Structure formats: C-alpha cells, structure tokens
Amino acid sequence: MTASPIRTERHDDVLVIISNNPPVNALGAAVRTGLKAGLEEGLADAGIKAMVIRCDGRTFFAGADITEFGKPMQGPGLGEVIDAIEASDKPVVAAIHGTALGGGCEVTLGCHYRVAVPSAKIGTPEVKLGLLPGAGGTQRIPRIAGVKLALQMTAVGDPISAKAAQAAGLIDRIVGEDSLEANAIAFAREVAGIRPLPRAREKSVQADEAAVAEFKQANARKFRGFDAPAANIACVEKAASGATFDEGIAFERQEFMKLMMGTQSAAQRHLFFAERQAAKVDDIPADTQLRPIKKVGVIGAGTMGGGISMNFLAAGIPVTIVETAQEALDRGTGVIRKNYENSAKKGRYTTEKVEGMMGLLSPTLDLQQLADCDLIIEAIYENMDVKKELFGKLDQIAKPGAILASNTSYLNIDEMAAVTSRPGDVIGMHFFSPANVMKLLEVVRGAKTSPDVLATVMALAKPIGKVAVVSGVCPGFIGNRMLSQRQGPANKMLMQGARPEQIDKALTDFGFPMGPFQMGDLAGVDIGWHRDPTRIESIRDALAAKGRWGQKTGKGWYDYDEKRTPTPSPEVAEIIEDFRSKSNLPKQDFSDEDVIAATLYPMVNEGAKILEEGMAQRASDIDVVWIYGYGWPIYRGGPMFWANTVGLDKVVAGLEKNGVEVAPLLRRKAEAGEKF
C-alpha cells in the first residue's frame, strides 16, 4: 500500500494535519481520504483541543485533481470531507500559503477559522474550466463575504490577495510569511475554548439585487455565449434568496452536473490541457540545453515591431529597436511609451515600472548595434526579396549562436535561412496583432532549424506572456492557412444572394468577435489590392476602386459613423447585386447553419491536411492557435475539437454538398467513427 499524502503531527493539545502531494497538493482521492482520517483522529483524542490543516511544498491545496474528471468517484467526495470539517465540535483552522484555489478555497471555507501568509491568494477559478465551485463554494462565500464579492470570485474566477480576503472576512488573521505553522498553532490555542464555533452554513446572506444587476451589466460582453458564469450567478442568487443551506447545496449540485456533462466545460477543459501540451515538442528531449537570451534586437518600429518589443521590455529583457528613418523610430518609441502610460493610468503599472521598461529600450538607425543581441526578430513588411537581403546582412552582423527570427505571417522561412551561413539559427516567430496583447506565438520550425533553437524560443514564450505553438513551413503556417479557407465560401455566398451582415451575424452568434467582412473592414479592404481602379474582377476590387477601404476611410463592406459603428451599406448591396446578376449562380436562401457549414467546415478540412502533412504536431495545437490567435470562441474548444462535437461524418457530408474536396485524414476518421 502506498503511503498516504496526508500525515498528522501532534503539538501538545493541537493536531496539525499536513498534506504533501506535489506539485500543487491537488485534492485527489488519497488526499480526501487522508484529510477525513486526520479529522477523525483529532476528534477521537480527548487531549486534542483544536486542529490545523496545512500543506507542505509551495502551495496550499490549489484545486481538484483534474485527471479525475469524468472518471468514477473514488473515496469520500470533497463536499463530504468539507461538511465533516465544518461539523467538527473542535475548532479547525486552515493555514494558507501559496494559493488556495477551487476545492482548496472550499476546504478553507469549511474550516471554522482561516489564517494566511501575506503573499497567499484565495479564489475559485472553476468558471475558467466551464464549471462552478461544486463543494459548497457558491453557498459559503456569500454567507461569509456577501453577494458582491461572491459574484466576482465565482463568476469571473480571478483569485484575490490575502489582504483583500481579510477585509472581506474570508481570512481571520494574516500571519508571518515564514512562521505560518507556529502562528496557526498559536491561533488555534487562542480560539480553542470559544463556542459556538463559527460555521459558514449557519450564517445568513443579505440579498443584494442591485449588486447582481450591476455585475451582470458590467460583465455582459465578457460572459456572452458562456454557460458557466450564468450558473455561478444563479447559485449565488440562490444563496441570497432565503433558501436554506441544504437547498442551496442541492441547487449548486444540480447546476454543477449540468455544466460537467455539457460540451462547453469539455471544451474549456480540453483547452486547459491543450495549452500545456502545445509547449512540448515531441522530438526534442526535455533536458535540451537552452541558449541564454539576455538581449533582444527588433527590426522595425511599426505596429508589429513596437508590440513585439513591449513583450520583452515588460519581462525585463533589454531591447535594441532598429528603423531606417529617425521619424519612424521616434514615432515607434512614442507609441510604446503611450501604450505603457495608458496601462499605468488603468493601474496596471506604476510610473516607476513604465520608466524602468522604457530604460531597457535602445532605439537606433544602425543595424550594427544588433551585434551583441542573443535573439534578433525582423518585423519589416512582407516581401521575400527585402527579407532575404536583410537576413544576408544579419548573417554578417550577428554574433555566433544568435537566433535570427522572422515575424512573417506566411512567407517561407527556409528561403530566408538559405541566404545565411547559419540556417540552423533561423526560425519563424509569428506574433499576432496587437503583439503586446494577443497571446498566440506561432513558432515556425524550418527544415534546418536546430533543436536547441526551437526549444529556446518555445521556452521564451512563457516569460513574455505568450502561448507558443510549433508549425512547419507551409504558406500561411497553421492559422492563416486555415483562415484562407473561410473567405472564399463567404464571397461565394454573396454571389448566391447572402448579405455581408447576414454572414457576419451567423459567425458572431457562433461566438467569434467579428465576422469575415467586419474583419476585412478592420484590416483594410485595400490590403493586397492591385491598386488599378479600372481592373475590377471581384466585389472587393469594386469596393476598393470606390475608396471603400474599410474603417479607416469610414466605409468598406459597411458604412461607419464617427464612433466606427457599422451599418449595412445600400451602395455595397448594389455592387453585390450587380456582380451576382452577371454571374450564372442561382439565388438561394441561407440559414445560419448553412453559413457555418460553408465557412467553418473547410477550415476543419484544411486542419486535417495540416495534420496529415505534419505541419502541426497535434489537433489540439490547431485549437490553441485558433483560440489565442483568431478569436475562436473558447467554449467551443477550437475548430478540431468543435468538429468532433459536430460529428466528423456530418462535416464530410457538408463539405461534399458544397463541392469541397475532402482531406483523406478527415474522411478516414469519419468512416472509422474516430475523432481528432
């Protein structure tokens, strides 16, 4: 029999129950069983007056054991253990360090008292996995700390500091950072004789309808499409409705099971694991020696170059930024400062921090200044000849062992590497715009990129706040290659009688932040246009020829007012009808489902080709790209996960109906009844 992760230590009249279940003391079956046994030991011993629950390692219980999800329940349920703690007739004190999250937070709420070190955090982030705290959290938090904080903690899910928790009554005392156990034992002795014991279930909740209404309104945009926030809110409302604690718990259980069995939570849990999986490169050993990155060079101070630089500066890594003209350099550094200052106004940075970050930035017009950089990223415009010329120069300037990276979004990395004497040092680092905000980093592995270069760049993603996914070299890599499959069918539907606003609405109702035509207006209708107003071969050509270049000119696929609010354009409707009438395509009506099938199934199909060609390591990597780079709705888990929920046979049938050639891998999986 393996040793229990829970042990007990007796300190005269106080029993300390200790968990040692690395890395985060997850509340698995063995931990729950041990906690219950420890509690029973303390209750059975007449010499014990109070108990303390604490954890070894870097943190208090940081949540449930996610690997148990969807499997049959072993040992006592967490709710049962927490109820037993709360029912104890001897005081139980939670001693918190690190993070008490999810089930860990719920354990503390079942204890009669809570003490914490100043650096501790407490919270219920289950909503981020499409769930709710299902062991009494939605009922105990409002009873201890009130409705307003309970809504914030459960439905938004961000943890709060020990100080904020103490102010709300969730923590009784903040103790010494290095003397948690001794202080907790002393506190337990202080409260040993106090009766009645404070039990959360016995407290009543003050209803606060105004707080609920205000909270719903403030978060309406953020919660759109998600099931879990609404369920968390409903549970807190139930606690405040005058229901008994047991009625509230029954309601919480029912809502928890609904979420647990639904596709949204499955999608959000899939993403949780997918994100961690994406960081692993299958054929590179975990112990690969990384190259040190102490200084970074960025070429180009435009929107991309500036945004890329901000990631490194915020991580405390010095950046040398290069431009060809002083004016462009000044403008670029000015924008970086302005962005930081705006964040400071919102309280994200102190003024000192802004000055510190700006102090790490060295603007220059001289490429030679990059000679001592460990990593150089070019963010100049998308032109292969210009990029190749630049890589040739960098080959002469950069020190041996420096990594040379391109921020290209679709050009061939191998061609750039071929003009250098060190193709092993060349890699693609495709940031997404705005680069200081978007979390995705597509890391493009060239044919000759050396393993330690790839491992270094993948490891660098975390400190600069990015989620990295490896792609092979192919036009558009993973994301843009799939995106290109969406626009064609959208344009074709216009020629068959659909309207831009109808197509966009179907996709925003699906959960995208914007549809393809809204996105075209944001990016610029003239991007990639041949610039000849007399050559009109497509609807887009006709719009561009009339100066309808999108939001920047106040009109594109839509008309815009001064607040950039779009309204359908009669002029565009006329242009589309003119094109449609000249084509021989019959007019038809499209349902939202038709729009989804026509625009999204081809993307899944392309994803299958990407997997078959080995351009992505795994289907879940593709999902990560689309969620963090292109606004695919999180609660749908990414295109490949979503295709599984739709049914691959249905996707194949839809593609065939629309005359799209089905990828062999997709067809094989559909016929075998398999999933991605």
Side-chain angles (χ1 to χ4, degrees), residues 609-625:
K609 292 180 190 171
I610 287 170
L611 284 172
E612 198 153 21
E613 293 166 20
M615 292 295 133
Q617 292 190 96
R618 38 188 100 80
S620 60
D621 283 7
I622 295 176
D623 290 336
V624 171
V625 165

Side-chain angles (χ1 to χ4, degrees), residues 5-6 19-32 35 55-56 59-68 78 101 103-104:
I6 301 284
S19 171
N20 184 13
N21 185 31
V24 294
N25 286 302
L27 287 152
V31 173
R32 298 192 300 271
L35 276 177
C55 295
D56 280 342
T59 183
F60 193 75
F61 305 111
D65 185 343
I66 302 181
T67 58
E68 292 185 346
L78 184 59
L101 298 178

Side-chain angles (χ1 to χ4, degrees), residues 587-642:
K587 196 165 186 174
Q588 59 185 87
D589 287 325
F590 294 97
S591 67
D592 283 359
E593 202 170 317
D594 294 333
V595 173
I596 296 301
T599 55
L600 303 188
Y601 289 3
M603 287 170 45
V604 172
N605 195 44
E606 196 65 27
K609 292 180 190 171
I610 287 170
L611 284 172
E612 198 153 21
E613 293 166 20
M615 292 295 133
Q617 292 190 96
R618 38 188 100 80
S620 60
D621 283 7
I622 295 176
D623 290 336
V624 171
V625 165
W626 269 84
I627 280 179
Y628 286 127
Y630 296 86
W632 185 281
I634 291 172
Y635 54 79
R636 295 193 194 272
M640 308 316 273
F641 178 90
W642 171 72

Side-chain angles (χ1 to χ4, degrees), residues 397-419:
I397 294 168
K399 66 182 185 184
I403 297 173
L404 307 181
S406 171
N407 174 54
T408 181
S409 53
Y410 63 91
L411 297 175
N412 188 321
I413 294 294
D414 293 334
E415 271 191 54
M416 299 176 210
V419 302

Side-chain angles (χ1 to χ4, degrees), residues 416-448:
M416 299 176 210
V419 302
T420 71
S421 60
R422 41 169 125 187
D425 293 343
V426 177
I427 194 164
M429 288 177 77
H430 178 208
F431 289 82
F432 285 70
S433 188
N436 53 314
V437 178
M438 296 295 279
K439 280 184 74 170
L440 181 66
L441 175 63
E442 253 182 336
V443 177
V444 187
R445 179 183 199 167
K448 295 187 173 168

Side-chain angles (χ1 to χ4, degrees), residues 260-474:
M260 190 67 177
M261 306 321 282
T263 54
Q264 286 205 0
S265 178
Q268 289 178 255
R269 296 197 307 271
H270 161 74
L271 181 66
F272 178 84
F273 290 114
E275 189 181 322
R276 281 145 190 80
Q277 195 67 34
K280 301 182 176 81
V281 184
D282 290 341
D283 60 350
I284 294 182
D287 58 0
T288 300
Q289 187 73 44
L290 304 181
R291 299 190 186 185
I293 305 293
K294 298 199 165 61
K295 189 171 184 186
V296 173
V298 175
I299 303 170
T303 310
M304 280 315 288
I308 291 169
S309 302
M310 287 178 72
N311 295 310
F312 291 101
L313 298 172
I317 300 170
V319 174
T320 300
I321 192 165
V322 187
E323 253 303 347
T324 50
Q326 189 63 45
E327 188 199 356
L329 192 62
D330 294 344
R331 187 169 55 239
T333 50
V335 169
I336 294 175
R337 175 176 282 282
K338 199 171 111 195
N339 284 340
Y340 280 148
E341 284 172 351
N342 287 343
S343 295
K345 276 181 200 152
K346 290 178 191 153
R348 279 199 41 220
Y349 298 127
T350 60
T351 319
E352 295 77 54
K353 172 81 175 162
V354 172
E355 291 312 319
M357 292 187 293
M358 290 308 292
L360 294 172
L361 183 66
S362 311
T364 178
L365 298 175
D366 179 12
L367 273 178
Q368 296 293 335
Q369 297 293 314
L370 301 175
D372 63 344
C373 291
D374 303 299
L375 164 67
I376 301 170
I377 305 168
E378 66 79 14
I380 63 174
Y381 62 99
E382 292 283 69
N383 176 303
M384 183 55 93
D385 293 336
V386 181
K387 286 190 192 281
K388 276 160 70 169
E389 187 191 340
L390 179 59
F391 271 86
K393 286 180 184 166
L394 292 177
D395 191 31
Q396 303 299 313
I397 294 168
K399 66 182 185 184
I403 297 173
L404 307 181
S406 171
N407 174 54
T408 181
S409 53
Y410 63 91
L411 297 175
N412 188 321
I413 294 294
D414 293 334
E415 271 191 54
M416 299 176 210
V419 302
T420 71
S421 60
R422 41 169 125 187
D425 293 343
V426 177
I427 194 164
M429 288 177 77
H430 178 208
F431 289 82
F432 285 70
S433 188
N436 53 314
V437 178
M438 296 295 279
K439 280 184 74 170
L440 181 66
L441 175 63
E442 253 182 336
V443 177
V444 187
R445 179 183 199 167
K448 295 187 173 168
T449 302
S450 66
D452 68 324
V453 166
L454 182 58
T456 300
V457 171
M458 291 301 285
L460 188 61
K462 202 171 179 186
I464 63 168
K466 300 298 171 208
V467 176
V469 174
V470 179
S471 168
V473 175
C474 57

